[in-house]
Amino acid sequence: QVQLVESGGGLVQAGGSLRLSCVVSGSVFSRNILAWYRQAPGKQRELVAAITSGGSTNYADSVKGRFTISRDNAKNTVYLQMNSLKPEDTAVYYCNLPRIWGTWDKPFASWGQGTQVTVSS
């Protein structure tokens, strides 16, 4: 069973940076697409960024040029470097494993607890 443990969130001022980490248990890590999602209060969960096993990436338009997704297969960890943060980035951030590239809404694993990111203005 795949387990996801997110960390690295916190409170930061607008314009600041945070680096999120997600450790993925199980043997699926190196063969799979990995992604970060977020859910703001009162809104649906949305894709933030995704990365293939070969390193190809996809970003939501709202974060392009500010966020960078990366992965370390040796550590079973996926990262999200977030720069130039804005108040609208405030959300709970989750990682997961999309089953198919381009289809983000039904990922492979159960959701973890996520990590809260709060950006103050």
Side-chain angles (χ1 to χ4, degrees):
Q1 184 175 359
V2 177
Q3 290 188 324
L4 309 168
V5 180
E6 301 94 345
S7 63
L11 173 63
V12 64
Q13 288 187 333
S17 298
L18 284 172
R19 188 193 194 204
L20 307 184
S21 300
C22 173
V23 178
V24 181
S25 68
S27 61
V28 297
F29 184 91
S30 62
R31 298 192 297 271
N32 277 271
I33 303 165
L34 299 166
W36 283 96
Y37 298 78
R38 67 186 180 188
Q39 187 168 21
K43 295 187 178 181
Q44 289 188 335
R45 188 150 29 204
E46 63 176 356
L47 177 78
V48 176
I51 186 168
T52 67
S53 57
S56 297
T57 57
N58 180 69
Y59 294 94
D61 288 342
S62 59
V63 307
K64 282 181 181 176
R66 300 188 297 122
F67 291 11
T68 303
I69 188 171
S70 61
R71 60 193 292 164
D72 185 335
N73 291 343
K75 296 182 178 180
N76 280 15
T77 302
V78 58
Y79 303 98
L80 186 68
Q81 178 66 44
M82 306 187 296
N83 299 328
S84 302
L85 282 161
K86 303 176 181 180
E88 50 263 45
D89 295 318
T90 295
V92 179
Y93 284 71
Y94 303 86
C95 64
N96 214 315
L97 292 78
R99 297 175 186 269
I100 301 172
W101 187 259
T103 301
W104 312 117
D105 61 345
K106 296 181 181 179
F108 179 79
S110 298
W111 295 101
Q113 291 188 331
T115 186
Q116 175 71 48
V117 172
T118 303
V119 184
S120 63
S121 58

